[in-house]
Amino acid sequence: MTTHHIKKSYSPNTKLSDLICENYDLLLVITRFGISLGFGEKSIREVCEDNKVNTNTLMAVINALINRPEHPSETVLSDLSAPSLINYLRKSHNYFLEFRLPLLRQDLLAALSNCPSEVVFVIRQFYDEYVEEVRKHMSYEEKTVFPYVEKLLGGKLDKRSHYRIDIFSKRHDQIELKISELKNLLIKYYPTSSGYELNSVLHDIFSSEDDLSAHNFVEDHLFVPLIRKIEKENGL
């Protein structure tokens, strides 16, 4: 998520069209909440009601990404819907793994079409290793973290289990290293006579990195504190 946002707090009464025009990156956020375009002059609350989206959760994600507060307030955490937030995170995973990263790979290889094969091999390997790190990170959430939270919410958690959300928090490694290596490789060592195509791909790589960073921020800033709060309420 890039830094084009106008920093201010929005309310559910804000027109969704105004929000998007001022913060166009949030198009990705509303899409992951299952909201399509064509909402006219409706407020955020009205659009959420039309799409059966938890308004407080959408507002928490929006305001967190725009303003990047150090910690979420107790009011924000109390108003969050854990199932709604998990659904948002799952759709984010699907977006990255099934759409954004495969398309970026395709565009990257097309931009390198006139490059020596050994150079293409190295760059492709860097990119594929990066995607694998992202995939492992998200797979862990899908197979371990989300099922744990769903059992916790449903009262079906075996309290003898030693798993807690802080385990996820501790192993929530950042995955920026590989993509930084790839960017440096392209910027510093790849000569090209016409830079438009490759520079466009580089821009998309930077944008994807920002988007993944925003995704991680939502997990660290909203999801983990919320589940930690629920654990405490359940005596864990």
Side-chain angles (χ1 to χ4, degrees):
M1 201 70 61
T2 52
T3 55
H4 302 292
H5 303 303
I6 300 171
K7 289 197 171 187
K8 68 179 186 180
S9 291
Y10 291 88
S11 80
N13 297 321
T14 302
K15 288 183 181 179
L16 185 53
S17 57
D18 290 344
L19 171 75
I20 297 303
C21 287
E22 292 178 2
N23 307 275
Y24 63 81
D25 286 343
L26 295 179
L27 273 169
L28 297 173
V29 171
I30 67 168
T31 300
R32 292 167 196 165
F33 273 100
I35 295 173
S36 302
L37 299 178
F39 32 74
E41 297 295 313
K42 291 182 179 179
S43 68
I44 296 172
R45 188 194 310 279
E46 289 171 326
V47 175
C48 285
E49 290 173 353
D50 288 346
N51 289 274
K52 296 181 172 56
V53 171
N54 184 277
T55 305
N56 290 333
T57 304
L58 175 62
M59 293 307 307
V61 171
I62 286 172
N63 284 318
L65 290 177
I66 290 173
N67 298 304
R68 300 295 175 110
E70 189 173 349
H71 302 290
S73 69
E74 283 300 316
T75 301
V76 167
L77 289 181
S78 296
D79 289 343
L80 279 173
S81 162
S84 180
L85 194 54
I86 289 175
N87 187 51
Y88 166 80
L89 294 173
R90 278 184 165 140
K91 287 182 178 177
S92 297
H93 292 173
N94 181 263
Y95 167 78
F96 286 116
L97 296 177
E98 303 301 326
F99 176 74
R100 185 69 176 267
L101 295 178
L103 181 61
L104 191 53
R105 185 183 193 273
Q106 177 182 315
D107 292 343
L108 176 62
L109 294 180
L112 299 173
S113 58
N114 295 321
C115 189
S117 59
E118 60 271 18
V119 176
V120 175
F121 175 81
V122 171
I123 293 174
R124 183 175 61 228
Q125 185 177 40
F126 265 97
Y127 185 80
D128 289 346
E129 287 175 356
Y130 165 67
V131 172
E132 183 57 27
E133 287 299 313
V134 175
R135 188 176 300 278
K136 285 193 296 186
H137 168 80
M138 293 181 174
S139 177
Y140 172 75
E141 294 175 27
E142 296 284 348
K143 294 178 180 178
T144 302
V145 180
F146 295 161
Y148 162 74
V149 172
E150 287 166 343
K151 286 181 181 178
L152 176 65
L153 296 173
K156 298 178 181 179
L157 185 68
D158 184 352
K159 293 194 175 183
R160 293 173 296 179
S161 168
H162 295 295
Y163 190 86
R164 297 292 181 268
I165 198 64
D166 280 342
I167 296 175
F168 164 65
S169 182
K170 288 174 184 175
R171 62 171 288 164
H172 192 188
D173 299 327
Q174 298 302 309
I175 47 183
E176 283 90 6
L177 180 59
K178 282 290 179 185
I179 200 69
S180 294
E181 291 174 345
L182 174 62
K183 289 187 302 184
N184 286 329
L185 184 66
L186 292 171
I187 293 169
K188 295 179 180 179
Y189 304 112
Y190 179 68
T192 176
S193 56
S194 176
Y196 290 123
E197 190 172 17
L198 183 60
N199 285 349
S200 177
V201 174
L202 261 175
H203 183 275
D204 288 344
I205 290 173
F206 276 99
S207 177
S208 296
E209 183 183 22
D210 286 342
D211 198 8
L212 271 167
S213 177
H215 173 79
N216 288 342
F217 182 80
V218 170
E219 291 180 338
D220 293 338
H221 181 79
L222 294 176
F223 180 67
V224 170
L226 172 62
I227 305 310
R228 193 179 287 135
K229 178 176 181 290
I230 295 172
E231 287 176 340
K232 187 176 180 180
E233 291 170 350
N234 283 269
L236 299 177

